[in-house]
Amino acid sequence: MKRQKLALGLWLLALCTSAQTDIWRSDSLQEVVVTGTGTQHLLKNAPVQTEVITQKMLSQYGGKSLEEILSGLTASFAFSEGDMGSQMQLDGLGNNYILILIDGKRIHGDVGGENDLGLIDPQNIEKIEIVKGAQSALYGSDAIAGVINIITKKHTDMGIYADNSTRYGSHNDLRQHNSFVFNYGKFSSQTNFQMQRSDGWQNTAEEYAEGMALTDSKNKTVNKFWNWQLAERLTYQPLRHLQLYAEGSYYKKKILRPTNGRHPSCDVYTYDLRYNNASASVGGKLYLSDEAEGIRRNYVALDVDWNKHAYYYDYTAKHYDYVLLKGEEYGDQDGEWFSIAMLPGQSKLQSDQQRAMAQLKGIFYLPYENTLNAGAEYRYDYLKAPERTETGSADDWTAALYVQDEFNLLRWFNLTAGLRLIDNRNFGFRLTPKVSTMFAVDDFRFRLGWSQGFKTPVVKELHYRYLHLMGSSMFFYIGNVDLNPQTSNYYSANIEYRGRNLTASVTGYLNRLDNMIALVNVPVGEIPPGITTAYLGDGSDNVQARMYKNMDDARISGLDATLSYRLMKELSLNVAYSYLDTKANMYDASKDQMVNVVIDGTAHHKWSASAFYSHVFSPSYTLGISLSTRGSSTRYYQNNGNGKPYQIWRINTTHDLGKTGKMFAYRLELGVDNIFNYVDRTMHPYHLGSNTSGTTVHATLTVKFNYGKRVKTNNLSTKQKNNDEENSD
């Protein structure tokens, strides 16, 4: 069996090789990327390996969510969507090791937990840039596994632009998108609205809970939910060299979970979840040179951001909560837990996480082919959790200085080196370096990279105090102020070929992590003062405590490979394969010792493939067809069983119906997901390989209105584009 798997892996490796995903070479040659270095480069000459999901791929694939897009068009990601967020994994590491950016700015969600990717409107995505491996030198903490940069659509034509997109599918899944853009002179306004809802679905009525195997559970595989978001961006250019902006958004989400009176011990049935998010940003960019001078423009930019993520329990059935009351009668360290009954219709704040950031950044194109990227950052995190922290709230701050220089002294050689100096309130100073090189020989690129990752414990991991009642059992989740920062060393080697019709490359990597933080079982006696109560002191078997500890060291190695081939002008094929091997030293409470295990959620093999076809039949009708598949081998977990292997196929068609009066354009999309009706019916709450409900259908109608004058934009000057072309010769 091992030989068969090895043969399969070698065959896939020989067939599918590329770290950059694109459809048509003519597009990829002109694709400008920024994420890997923070500076602009044509994709083929990016010094740091960057994977791009282009607008054409997004348009023809027709994914309803970012999870669907990433899992369907790349092979490195895995998802296990739940009520708290996406439970995303990249090359063996989870959400809190992956930095997600929107136009270069951090998305804000559950700090130390799961990000809600519903904040990202797929209809408003222009392209996606993915950089794997530790990027702490440039982006700071949370970037040990990699960075995902969502580039949103920009409308620069003078006048008015508006669009409406409505998607409806199985399970009453409705996705609504609207945007309105007004550009006049030096002023621009862009308003975006999105709404999502679904009835959810249940793949099985079997559930194991409270020592019982239920056969009539009402618990769903994916719960019913709705959300909506309104965002506004204003820009103003008072001077030729100065651009100013202000933007804000408000997001609300409700997850509806079915009550089950027959099995009241299952606490998941007693309350719904509600999320309220808000953000506000102001900033500007000052250009220090003219593009007409024949070079890319030097600039400095200042951004100030504020973000809020709060979630609540909205009770639907009687529920007992335990709260820790403190006062002078309890002293400074001790308190007493009281049981409080929550009734249907009542709500309670669980946590309110807020973040304020300021960043000053400068890009300078210096003599002798040097590009300097330097900046300073300050970040303040605040957590308000009245019943989940020892004092009701906690905070933290981090300041940083960073510098990166790109050397291009030779046409065929690039050296990029960066260094970040971090000062954290709890852990002091730390330097994180990175070095990467690229050699260009004709249509070949050879890249080598090394970077260090650094991640301080988040506020939750340091200060959480949470008592959770589930039936007759009590669970304590406890922060640990004695935690150490997590560090990593990431090594990568890449070879890439970009020909006229073929793009192919292979990337191998090794990621070594130290002091990984895990939530592990601990004896009741290890619970810190201030939490000890009569419930803990009686030695009852129904009390379990879990504490954040530096228990893990890990080694992650893998190989990513993809192939893009254009058979003809209208037809292209893409294949991606990812091999992953993880080894971690984790604490086994039952043996009271460290054991060597596979990191939870690891699948040794993942793959995806797609075929894209487009044909213009007439000026008023264009047909697009995409056929795609994705799959995974077994996903391994320490508890609650492994996730089953799966293979899922999907088809989507697009029908562009031309324009009416040169102002209106229409598109109709029709698609079928999971064509062969695969369903994983594993009992709750054991792990699923995929939570798909089986075959589903969807249809989308998009109407665009554009009344304005085209304005030419150019991210790279003509001279720089010519230089990039020369460097590839």
Side-chain angles (χ1 to χ4, degrees):
M1 187 64 181
K2 291 183 178 179
R3 290 183 179 179
Q4 292 176 342
K5 289 183 177 179
L6 178 60
L8 174 62
L10 292 174
W11 178 82
L12 287 170
L13 172 60
L15 174 65
C16 24
T17 49
S18 165
Q20 272 84 8
T21 305
D22 55 77
I23 301 181
W24 293 279
R25 183 176 188 270
S26 58
D27 293 331
S28 65
L29 286 176
Q30 301 304 318
E31 192 77 55
V32 177
V33 296
V34 298
T35 308
T37 61
T39 56
Q40 296 181 8
H41 288 278
L42 296 178
L43 174 59
K44 67 173 184 175
N45 290 325
V48 177
Q49 179 189 346
T50 305
E51 184 174 350
V52 175
I53 300 177
T54 66
Q55 171 56 212
K56 287 186 176 180
M57 296 184 76
L58 293 167
S59 177
Q60 288 196 248
Y61 184 75
K64 69 179 180 181
S65 64
L66 185 62
E67 293 95 331
E68 204 169 86
I69 291 168
L70 291 177
S71 61
L73 294 177
T74 68
S76 300
F77 290 92
F79 295 90
S80 302
E81 292 182 63
D83 289 344
M84 299 299 292
S86 63
Q87 299 179 34
M88 175 170 52
Q89 191 182 74
L90 170 61
D91 290 340
L93 295 175
N95 282 69
N96 52 344
Y97 296 95
I98 306 168
L99 178 61
I100 303 175
L101 308 173
I102 301 179
D103 293 327
K105 296 182 180 179
R106 297 166 180 263
I107 187 175
H108 182 62
D110 183 20
V111 177
E114 311 294 344
N115 283 315
D116 181 5
L117 299 185
L119 287 162
I120 300 170
D121 181 1
Q123 292 289 337
N124 197 39
I125 299 176
E126 178 66 27
K127 65 177 179 178
I128 302 172
E129 298 180 8
I130 303 165
V131 179
K132 300 173 185 176
Q135 302 298 321
S136 297
L138 193 60
Y139 292 104
S141 190
D142 307 329
I144 286 182
V147 178
I148 305 170
N149 193 7
I150 311 297
I151 311 298
T152 60
K153 294 178 179 178
K154 308 295 189 301
H155 304 280
T156 59
D157 292 356
M158 287 296 167
I160 296 175
Y161 171 87
D163 64 37
N164 175 89
S165 179
T166 303
R167 173 186 172 126
Y168 184 77
S170 303
H171 309 298
N172 282 325
D173 189 283
L174 177 64
R175 312 280 166 141
Q176 177 67 35
H177 160 86
N178 295 91
S179 66
F180 179 80
V181 181
F182 175 71
N183 295 324
Y184 180 76
K186 300 178 179 180
F187 175 80
S188 176
S189 168
Q190 180 165 335
T191 307
N192 289 295
F193 171 82
Q194 68 156 325
M195 184 273 290
Q196 305 172 358
R197 71 166 307 279
S198 172
D199 286 346
W201 59 86
Q202 183 187 53
N203 289 346
T204 179
E206 296 181 348
E207 179 175 6
Y208 186 82
E210 298 298 312
M212 299 180 294
L214 311 178
T215 59
D216 59 349
S217 170
K218 299 297 188 295
N219 196 7
K220 290 188 174 184
T221 305
V222 173
N223 283 315
K224 183 176 183 178
F225 76 91
W226 58 260
N227 65 45
W228 62 268
Q229 181 184 49
L230 181 64
E232 172 67 26
R233 179 180 175 89
L234 301 172
T235 60
Y236 179 62
Q237 188 167 355
L239 302 171
R240 185 165 60 92
H241 290 81
L242 178 64
Q243 296 177 350
L244 304 174
Y245 79 90
E247 63 183 11
S249 69
Y250 181 79
Y251 172 86
K252 189 170 185 178
K253 182 175 184 177
K254 186 72 174 285
I255 298 173
L256 307 173
R257 310 199 290 185
T259 58
N260 191 345
R262 183 174 177 182
H263 305 291
S265 62
C266 298
D267 73 317
V268 295
Y269 305 136
T270 60
Y271 52 85
D272 294 333
L273 301 177
R274 175 165 50 90
Y275 299 83
N276 289 342
N277 283 38
S279 70
S281 304
V282 294
K285 180 182 291 187
L286 176 64
Y287 289 94
L288 305 178
S289 58
D290 289 321
E291 191 173 16
E293 295 173 2
I295 61 173
R296 287 185 286 188
R297 304 171 74 181
N298 301 331
Y299 70 85
V300 293
L302 174 66
D303 297 284
V304 180
D305 308 307
W306 170 82
N307 292 270
K308 173 188 176 73
H309 172 80
Y311 84 94
Y312 303 79
Y313 287 171
D314 290 342
Y315 292 94
T316 57
K318 192 173 184 179
H319 178 93
Y320 287 95
D321 263 358
Y322 281 82
V323 297
L324 179 64
L325 300 182
K326 288 191 173 185
E328 294 181 359
E329 63 270 29
Y330 301 118
D332 294 333
Q333 295 295 326
D334 296 321
E336 186 172 347
W337 290 92
F338 286 89
S339 173
I340 297 178
M342 303 302 299
L343 302 178
Q346 292 183 310
S347 298
K348 183 185 291 185
L349 172 70
Q350 300 302 306
S351 73
D352 180 1
Q353 300 173 77
Q354 299 187 37
R355 184 194 69 203
M357 283 192 66
Q359 180 186 43
L360 178 64
K361 172 183 177 179
I363 303 294
F364 308 97
Y365 298 97
L366 306 177
Y368 306 106
E369 300 298 329
N370 281 336
T371 302
L372 182 67
N373 180 354
E377 295 180 358
Y378 179 81
R379 171 175 171 171
Y380 175 75
D381 287 295
Y382 172 76
L383 169 65
K384 178 182 178 182
E387 297 172 9
R388 297 186 180 225
T389 56
E390 62 267 41
T391 61
S393 64
D395 59 1
D396 191 17
W397 60 259
T398 300
L401 298 172
Y402 68 90
V403 62
Q404 176 184 271
D405 201 356
E406 301 173 41
F407 303 88
N408 293 277
L409 297 179
L410 301 174
R411 291 187 349 185
W412 49 270
F413 176 71
N414 172 279
L415 174 65
T416 299
L419 187 66
R420 188 181 190 93
L421 175 63
I422 300 170
D423 180 20
N424 179 264
R425 182 175 70 179
N426 296 305
F427 300 98
F429 290 92
R430 174 79 181 206
L431 285 171
T432 57
K434 66 170 283 188
V435 178
S436 64
T437 62
M438 184 186 72
F439 302 85
V441 181
D442 294 328
D443 289 331
F444 287 91
R445 299 293 181 272
F446 303 88
R447 297 181 177 93
L448 296 173
W450 167 71
S451 56
Q452 282 193 344
F454 178 72
K455 179 174 173 56
T456 58
V458 298
V459 175
K460 274 191 170 183
E461 293 166 341
L462 293 169
H463 300 289
Y464 227 39
R465 299 287 190 271
Y466 178 42
L467 175 63
H468 184 56
L469 178 65
M470 187 172 183
S472 59
S473 299
M474 303 175 71
F475 299 85
F476 284 84
Y477 299 93
I478 308 164
N480 184 356
V481 294
D482 295 324
L483 290 172
N484 294 316
Q486 302 169 86
T487 59
S488 71
N489 281 276
Y490 181 84
Y491 309 87
S492 65
N494 164 256
I495 178 173
E496 176 186 82
Y497 170 79
R498 285 184 174 269
R500 181 170 298 278
N501 296 312
L502 174 69
T503 297
S505 79
V506 146
T507 302
Y509 62 88
L510 173 65
N511 201 358
R512 292 186 176 275
L513 293 92
D514 295 314
N515 289 323
M516 288 182 67
I517 294 175
L519 191 62
V520 300
N521 294 329
V522 297
V524 171
E526 289 193 24
I527 297 177
I531 301 181
T532 304
T533 70
Y535 292 105
L536 301 176
D538 62 7
S540 300
D541 293 334
N542 65 343
V543 177
Q544 298 184 38
R546 306 196 77 195
M547 179 182 289
Y548 289 102
K549 285 195 170 185
N550 292 109
M551 299 303 297
D552 305 347
D553 298 324
R555 178 193 60 78
I556 300 172
S557 59
L559 181 145
D560 291 334
T562 23
L563 173 76
S564 295
Y565 181 62
R566 187 178 69 170
L567 279 75
M568 58 185 70
K569 182 179 179 180
E570 298 171 326
L571 176 63
S572 64
L573 303 178
N574 300 274
V575 185
Y577 168 73
S578 177
Y579 172 78
L580 178 65
D581 183 51
T582 65
K583 296 268 190 304
N585 293 315
M586 299 186 69
Y587 177 73
D588 188 330
S590 63
K591 300 178 181 178
D592 192 25
Q593 66 181 23
M594 302 295 290
V595 295
N596 192 262
V597 298
V598 175
I599 294 178
D600 273 357
T602 293
H604 291 309
H605 308 279
K606 295 192 294 292
W607 58 90
S608 67
S610 56
F612 293 91
Y613 173 80
S614 179
H615 181 72
V616 179
F617 286 91
S618 70
S620 60
Y621 180 66
T622 300
L623 171 67
I625 302 174
S626 71
L627 177 65
S628 58
T629 183
R630 58 185 174 89
S632 172
S633 61
T634 300
R635 297 185 69 185
Y636 295 97
Y637 294 89
Q638 301 308 305
N639 300 301
N640 293 338
N642 298 324
K644 295 178 180 178
Y646 65 88
Q647 175 89 18
I648 295 173
W649 290 81
R650 184 178 192 274
I651 188 170
N652 189 66
T653 64
T654 60
H655 309 266
D656 291 301
L657 306 178
K659 297 182 178 180
T660 300
K662 297 184 179 181
M663 289 188 296
F664 287 93
Y666 307 90
R667 165 173 281 201
L668 176 65
E669 295 183 29
L670 302 171
V672 180
D673 196 10
N674 198 351
I675 297 172
F676 300 106
N677 197 32
Y678 171 79
V679 181
D680 188 345
R681 302 195 185 279
T682 300
M683 176 187 294
H684 300 294
Y686 296 96
H687 294 291
L688 302 175
S690 171
N691 65 2
T692 177
S693 64
T695 302
T696 59
V697 298
H698 61 268
T700 305
L701 177 63
T702 301
V703 180
K704 297 181 180 180
F705 172 81
N706 193 359
Y707 180 76
K709 181 180 180 181
R710 179 66 56 88
V711 177
K712 294 183 179 180
T713 59
N714 195 358
N715 290 324
L716 291 176
S717 70
T718 302
K719 178 179 178 179
Q720 184 61 44
K721 284 189 176 181
N722 291 336
N723 288 341
D724 281 345
E725 292 291 343
E726 290 175 1
N727 290 337
S728 67
D729 294 338

